Amino acid sequence: MPQHVRFTPRDYASPEYNDWCRGCGDYGILRALQKALADLSLPPEQVAVFGGIGCSGKTPYYLRANGIHTLHGRVLPFAAGAKLAHPALTVIAAGGDGDGLSIGAGHFVNAGRRNLDLTYLFFNNAVYGLTKGQASPTLPQGEQTRGMAAPNPQRALDPIRLALAAGYTWIGRGYAYDVDHLAHLIIRAIRHPGLAFLDIRQPCPHYDPAHDKAWYAARVKRLDDHDPCLPPGSDVSRRNALHTAIHRILDDETTLAVGVLLEDRSIAPFAEALQRLQPAWPARIPATAPIADAHGRPLARIDELLDRFTV
Amino acid sequence: MLSSVSPGSGMDGTMVNKDRCLAWRIGGPQGSGVLRMAQIFARACARGGREIYSRREYHSNITGRHSYFDVCVGSRPLFSHRESPRLLVCLDAETLARHAESVEAPGAILYADSDGDVALDALRLLDTRLRDELNRRLDTDDLPRATSGLLERAARRGIRLHPLPLRAWRARLKSEAGNRKAAQRVLNTLAVAASGRLLGLPEADLQAAVAGAFAHKPDVIDLNRAAVGLAYREFAATASPVTLPPGCDRPERLLLGGHEAVALGKLAAGLGLQTYYPISPASDESAFLEAHASVPLADGNRGGPLVLQVEDELAAVNMAAGGALTGARCATATSGPGLSLMTEGLGWAGMNEVPLVITHYQRGGPSTGMPTRTDQGDLQFVIHGGHGEFPRMVIASGDVSDAFDDALRAFDYAERYQLPVIHLLDRALTGCLQTVPRFDPSRHTIRRSKPWPGTADAGSAERFRLTGDGISPRPLPGRPGQQFWTTGVEHGIEGRVSEDPVVREQMMEKRARKLETAAREIPEREKLAVFGDPDAPLTAVTWGSTTGALREVLHDFPALRVLQLRLLWPFPDAELIERLADTDTLVVVENNYSGQLADLIAAHTGHRADHRILKYSGRPISAEALLPALQAIANGKGEARMVLRNPFE
């Protein structure tokens, strides 16, 4: 489809009935994502959105794009596999806080070691909604949702600090009901040529009414004086200074700063390392490259390899 | 229960293949070059037009623990190893202790003279059970509890003993110009060369194999070539009780192992992405693919797969599935616990009808089990593993040639029927070396998925459109008009969630129908292979590398029909019912405890095995051990459950 075709958010609307709860932050994220895809003029068939398991995992149902609903905790491996096999696609992973930081924590961390060109939308409401309100790994110690019999005995993980430590090269935080700003963040995350992590804070009005829109409204503040960029060639001291600044922003418990925290261009895209492993990639796209001739005979010539074993 | 063969226990009448192959064994501490030496010897023998089958045994350990390699050399193709070598090359005293009892007369033992009198108690890595057994035997014969006692027992059986002055030879190599750095490992070459000289292996063949093995290290080549020359000169006067079988003028053959054959098959198949997590013994395949990922193509370009090591088997299987969704041929390879972790992803691929290939190298289980030892204990697991009911296919290779064909075929099945395919191998097959006819991928016709028929439009594609054969046309991402949804939740034809009972039934039936289509379409020759006498009243059914022992035993036990099942799921029940209709006696041979194939046959055909011949020590079944068991069955003395045992493997 030619690039000049313009899209509207409605072009990414799916016919599926949406069964999220009224007032769920997921709606804001969905609208922001549709707006971002339209602004980027990405044809729906060129976009692959992978969902984890949980309320947020249903996001692909409600989008007209290639929608793949995967397994609990595995959204990142599925998304990475699609990007490796079809590097021309725009690949987005949408998963919840429990999906990413509990059952999928190993993938969350290890994805950071590969600066693959993916966008990871992290739906963070501190609650397991579909299983009736248990604590997610981002629920602070001592807090109690409507689904819990007692206050949370375990401490919370900070997804941004973890992403920073793991090596994500683009890190942002957004708020589900600041749709325009969130769409702007998603656009920047998709444009980033490496692995982008967007922590999206959102209310779960059903199970965690204490953290409602008013609670967020009192805290959410757009970042205005933070420069997130690490240009190519940045040295360690510059990196450390930026990380220190990010930690300072996160340490401020009176506000919830939203915006781009890190845009690290000093780390090479994973594609460069992959090309050293396989020089034919990505020019020869595994998903579309022919593997057989007109008669169905294999295109690969293994004769030289067979010669090594010849006796 | 019948213990059919214990080499060295005096059951001389049971030995097979006396004139068909020469069994050569080399043993030594892991990491000392045992594998390399066995490869060199095998290649040198194969050069003369001889055929090779070998087996490898090693501990889950990097250096120090015992490993050994059996190389069988024959004048015609071989499919099984032997448990009783004719020639034993000992690279340390522990090898002497472990294997001297297994050597069959007429035969010979070559060992360093310094290893000829070592107390068994000093061998700290010798298993207590084995030490006690050897000491008991030595006590009975009033011999010292030392390697000298075991050598004496061997000599009394007629085994020739050849203590080699390896250290003196190495000193001479050192003193010659240019060889001052003669390493410990050159002792291995000296010992192997002495065995070659003894057997009548032409020196030129061994020299060529040495040069090939060390091609990347010129200084090592010179040293080892000098070592071969020295051993052939010094050992020249020795007469041998056994000699190498003659070679034939054969067309070009390959000498390789199962994991290499699979990797070559995957490359020919057009593999686009292989993900893996390191695990024994499966990683060998991925390591080979990584080293040979760039492949020339018939169109003049180069291609080949991305091969990526990932964080765990969960990532490996799901990353491969994510890649396969896009239309690329994607696979992962694993063993033992790796597949346990992959079962959720396997179910997802079944539910979402994703063509995914999982190559599974069985090892001893459960849990960590025996990571480096063979087993066929995962058959029922790969067929039934995972929650819920979903279609999958399972194929199993019987030898190195099968491994190549099956690796190619797995992708065709996966794409044609849009489901996960598990390609089963076992440790015995991946660690072996076998001479096989050169692979010819041009004889293979690649088959791909039923393409999406629509042309470009703005609509969405029905990913799970209902069809008579259960197979939906396959939309692919990135193509106009083919945008689709898919989900591991039960779904309707558009791939979006549905819990409607009728939709559920339609989808369960549609997915099941694909297996019926596969069972109908796949030709019988791809489902099973028949060897031996088609009219024999005795039928032995088997699968996987155990097939080799049955093919081999036919030379000594010809009144036998062997059925090798290559397609295990969908189970080839119709073909088997037809073929078992007139059999008098049904024997099922497997490398597991319970007889998993025998149970499957009973469940799907109604034929209960009269005899199950089993082995679950972590070591493969040989023709040598199979023969007395089959003879007992033929004589009416076979039991329902016959376990093959060998305390010296």
Side-chain angles (χ1 to χ4, degrees):
Chain A
M1 203 169 283
Q3 280 300 309
H4 62 264
V5 173
R6 303 302 301 178
F7 292 92
T8 68
R10 202 176 307 148
D11 292 317
Y12 303 92
S14 120
E16 183 75 2
Y17 173 80
N18 193 319
D19 65 4
W20 284 329
C21 302
R22 280 189 63 192
C24 178
D26 289 353
Y27 286 105
I29 303 173
L30 179 64
R31 283 209 306 278
L33 179 53
Q34 288 167 335
K35 191 170 187 315
L37 294 174
D39 280 6
L40 290 166
S41 287
L42 292 168
E45 72 273 10
Q46 295 292 343
V47 179
V49 181
F50 289 77
I53 291 294
C55 297
S56 60
K58 296 183 178 183
T59 302
Y61 293 166
Y62 309 130
L63 271 173
R64 198 169 77 82
N66 295 292
I68 303 100
H69 192 198
T70 68
L71 290 167
H72 198 28
R74 315 299 162 217
V75 66
L76 284 175
F78 275 103
K83 186 68 183 179
L84 293 169
H86 201 330
L89 295 177
T90 296
V91 179
I92 296 166
D97 37 25
D99 195 280
L101 287 191
S102 271
I103 192 168
H107 309 309
F108 184 101
V109 171
N110 280 278
R113 300 166 53 211
R114 300 180 284 261
N115 191 21
L116 192 60
D117 185 8
L118 296 175
T119 301
Y120 182 18
L121 305 181
F122 185 81
F123 291 47
N124 186 356
N125 61 3
V127 163
Y128 284 82
L130 268 188
T131 50
K132 315 294 184 203
Q134 296 87 351
S136 102
T138 58
L139 185 73
Q141 190 177 36
E143 296 207 2
Q144 186 173 0
T145 70
R146 271 173 49 185
M148 296 169 71
N152 185 15
Q154 304 185 69
R155 292 195 294 150
L157 277 170
D158 183 334
I160 292 177
R161 289 182 212 265
L162 194 57
L164 201 58
Y168 285 70
T169 55
W170 190 100
I171 297 173
R173 181 156 68 184
Y175 173 52
Y177 278 124
D178 190 349
V179 173
D180 286 345
H181 184 246
L182 183 59
H184 159 77
L185 292 176
I186 293 173
I187 289 168
R188 287 186 64 177
I190 291 174
R191 280 189 178 148
H192 178 67
L195 180 63
F197 173 73
L198 183 55
D199 177 23
I200 307 172
R201 304 294 292 266
Q202 57 171 128
C204 177
H206 195 85
Y207 285 109
D208 188 15
H211 299 99
D212 57 6
K213 283 185 182 178
W215 186 92
Y216 276 101
R219 287 166 180 80
V220 170
K221 181 179 156 241
R222 291 188 187 179
L223 273 173
D224 42 24
D225 55 352
H226 174 70
D227 176 7
C229 291
L230 275 180
S234 297
D235 62 11
V236 175
S237 61
R238 182 154 186 182
R239 175 183 303 276
N240 288 346
L242 180 55
H243 283 210
T244 303
I246 294 168
H247 281 291
R248 199 171 298 131
I249 292 166
L250 299 175
D251 287 342
D252 180 358
E253 290 177 355
T254 61
T255 62
L256 188 69
V258 293
V260 182
L261 292 164
L262 174 71
E263 187 178 340
D264 187 347
R265 300 293 183 114
S266 69
I267 306 289
F270 193 46
E272 288 182 21
L274 291 173
Q275 265 182 291
R276 285 191 288 276
L277 294 182
Q278 178 50 267
W281 189 94
R284 196 174 175 84
I285 295 175
T288 57
I291 57 172
D293 67 16
H295 306 286
R297 286 188 297 258
L299 270 193
R301 284 282 166 83
I302 59 168
D303 306 72
E304 284 173 30
L305 278 174
L306 294 180
D307 290 344
R308 292 163 180 249
F309 295 103
T310 300
V311 289
Chain B
M1 218 175 259
L2 181 143
S3 192
S4 69
V5 66
S6 295
S9 63
M11 297 174 69
D12 288 336
T14 65
M15 301 305 178
V16 296
N17 296 334
K18 274 203 160 63
D19 304 309
R20 291 205 181 85
C21 83
L22 175 101
W24 178 92
R25 177 174 297 173
I26 187 169
Q30 210 139 285
S32 70
V34 177
L35 172 62
R36 173 61 63 88
M37 281 299 131
Q39 288 167 336
I40 288 172
F41 180 79
R43 212 173 161 83
C45 292
R47 280 179 64 85
R50 297 179 197 85
E51 303 286 354
I52 303 290
Y53 189 89
S54 68
R55 70 111 160 223
R56 182 184 177 199
E57 294 292 348
Y58 58 107
H59 283 82
S60 182
N61 154 261
I62 296 173
T63 59
R65 285 193 181 271
H66 181 67
S67 70
Y68 68 97
F69 213 109
D70 283 321
V71 178
C72 289
V73 187
S75 298
R76 51 147 190 86
L78 298 171
F79 300 94
S80 180
H81 66 285
R82 279 179 55 81
E83 296 175 32
S84 313
R86 294 282 188 176
L87 208 89
L88 173 65
V89 180
C90 305
L91 300 183
D92 65 354
E94 186 181 338
T95 301
L96 227 171
R98 286 180 178 272
H99 301 291
E101 294 286 289
S102 301
V103 181
E104 186 189 354
I109 302 177
L110 285 78
Y111 55 99
D113 47 10
S114 53
D115 290 336
D117 189 16
V118 177
L120 299 191
D121 284 345
L123 300 171
R124 295 186 52 205
L125 294 176
L126 209 55
D127 306 270
T128 307
R129 191 274 313 160
L130 179 58
R131 190 201 319 271
D132 291 348
E133 168 69 18
L134 294 172
N135 283 340
R136 190 186 58 72
R137 292 182 178 207
L138 291 167
D139 292 351
T140 305
D141 287 0
D142 209 16
L143 289 168
R145 290 181 163 193
T147 50
S148 55
L150 294 169
L151 287 166
E152 175 57 26
R153 273 178 58 86
R156 289 177 187 177
R157 294 202 310 277
I159 309 295
R160 301 247 185 118
L161 306 182
H162 295 290
L164 303 173
L166 294 180
R167 281 167 204 288
W169 286 354
R170 183 173 66 147
R172 281 178 50 190
L173 281 174
K174 271 187 174 176
S175 69
E176 289 168 22
N179 290 328
R180 292 194 183 282
K181 287 191 284 184
Q184 179 75 16
R185 288 189 180 201
V186 84
L187 297 176
N188 301 352
T189 311
L190 288 164
V192 169
S195 77
R197 176 69 190 85
L198 194 64
L199 289 169
L201 174 68
E203 183 183 343
D205 287 344
L206 192 56
Q207 291 285 18
V210 163
F214 299 112
H216 52 296
K217 297 178 186 166
D219 53 328
V220 178
I221 290 186
D222 291 343
L223 175 62
N224 282 280
R225 288 178 65 93
V228 170
L230 186 139
Y232 267 74
R233 282 196 312 279
E234 294 299 319
F235 216 49
T238 312
S240 173
V242 283
T243 54
L244 221 48
C248 299
D249 185 18
R250 294 185 186 281
E252 228 175 36
R253 295 151 306 137
L254 307 174
L255 176 66
L256 74 174
H259 64 284
E260 290 154 337
V262 170
L264 290 163
K266 284 183 173 179
L267 292 176
L271 177 70
L273 172 67
Q274 166 127 335
T275 50
Y276 76 100
Y277 184 71
I279 193 164
S280 296
S283 318
D284 288 347
E285 180 207 308
S286 295
F288 181 89
L289 282 171
E290 282 173 339
H292 303 100
S294 179
V295 184
L297 304 175
D299 61 15
N301 297 309
R302 290 189 81 86
L306 269 183
V307 187
L308 195 61
Q309 178 186 328
V310 296
E311 57 268 29
D312 53 30
E313 283 90 354
L314 308 170
V317 72
N318 295 319
M319 215 179 271
L325 278 169
T326 70
R329 288 190 154 189
C330 300
T332 182
T334 192
S335 294
L339 192 69
S340 292
L341 290 178
M342 288 185 184
T343 45
E344 192 188 21
L346 177 68
W348 192 92
M351 181 63 145
N352 288 278
E353 309 196 31
V354 176
L356 170 69
V357 172
I358 300 176
T359 312
H360 182 60
Y361 295 90
Q362 295 169 96
R363 66 187 217 188
S367 189
T368 306
M370 299 176 95
T372 61
R373 308 291 180 176
T374 202
D375 205 72
Q376 295 180 330
D378 297 347
L379 179 60
Q380 295 274 11
F381 171 46
V382 299
I383 289 173
H384 300 296
H387 57 280
E389 300 162 289
F390 58 91
R392 76 191 82 189
M393 292 179 68
V394 177
I395 57 177
S397 301
D399 72 353
V400 169
S401 290
D402 282 1
F404 177 78
D405 292 338
D406 290 343
L408 261 167
R409 211 173 267 166
F411 289 98
D412 290 352
Y413 290 158
E415 284 209 58
R416 166 76 186 136
Y417 304 110
Q418 297 181 40
L419 41 65
V421 174
I422 298 162
H423 179 192
L424 267 184
L425 298 105
D426 45 52
R427 217 301 282 140
L429 188 48
T430 182
C432 79
L433 280 174
Q434 187 184 13
T435 43
V436 293
R438 188 179 170 98
F439 303 147
D440 183 5
S442 72
R443 288 196 326 209
H444 185 88
T445 305
I446 285 179
R447 299 187 67 184
R448 308 218 60 178
S449 290
K450 198 189 277 186
W452 184 254
T455 50
D457 62 37
S460 301
E462 293 167 351
R463 172 66 190 90
F464 303 105
R465 184 178 282 175
L466 297 174
T467 58
D469 59 10
I471 304 167
S472 310
R474 188 178 172 207
L476 294 170
R479 303 178 191 208
Q482 297 189 32
Q483 174 264 320
F484 67 89
W485 287 278
T486 189
T487 171
V489 182
E490 189 56 279
H491 43 254
I493 57 174
E494 289 184 322
R496 294 201 304 275
V497 58
S498 174
E499 296 182 15
D500 182 279
V502 175
V503 170
R504 163 70 168 177
E505 286 165 1
Q506 285 175 337
M507 285 296 149
M508 288 294 282
E509 289 157 11
K510 166 212 193 305
R511 289 189 292 266
R513 210 149 59 230
K514 296 194 298 182
L515 272 193
E516 292 164 19
T517 302
R520 194 172 58 244
E521 288 184 348
I522 294 173
E524 192 182 65
R525 65 176 183 280
E526 294 180 16
K527 293 179 175 173
L528 54 84
V530 186
F531 305 100
D533 178 0
D535 301 320
L538 183 61
T539 297
V541 187
T542 193
W543 62 285
S545 73
T546 307
T547 306
L550 277 161
R551 291 182 70 175
E552 195 73 35
V553 85
L554 284 168
H555 295 284
D556 294 283
F557 194 93
L560 175 68
R561 178 174 60 156
V562 176
L563 298 182
Q564 173 204 0
L565 299 194
R566 297 187 65 171
L567 177 67
L568 275 309
W569 202 259
F571 197 74
D573 43 13
E575 291 78 5
L576 217 49
I577 287 169
E578 187 189 326
R579 286 175 180 274
L580 294 182
D582 56 353
T583 197
D584 290 349
T585 306
L586 176 61
V587 183
V588 180
V589 183
E590 299 177 70
N591 237 154
N592 59 41
Y593 177 84
S594 59
Q596 297 187 14
L597 176 62
D599 287 342
L600 276 172
I601 293 172
H604 290 271
T605 71
H607 287 276
R608 297 190 63 82
D610 299 294
H611 308 277
R612 297 177 185 213
I613 303 180
L614 306 165
K615 186 173 181 179
Y616 42 85
S617 59
R619 275 65 170 178
I621 293 175
S622 69
E624 179 187 357
L626 211 46
L627 179 63
L630 291 171
Q631 285 169 335
I633 289 168
N635 295 332
K637 292 177 184 161
E639 296 175 30
R641 182 180 161 83
M642 303 166 81
V643 180
L644 306 180
R645 305 178 194 273
N646 180 343
F648 294 103
E649 285 189 288

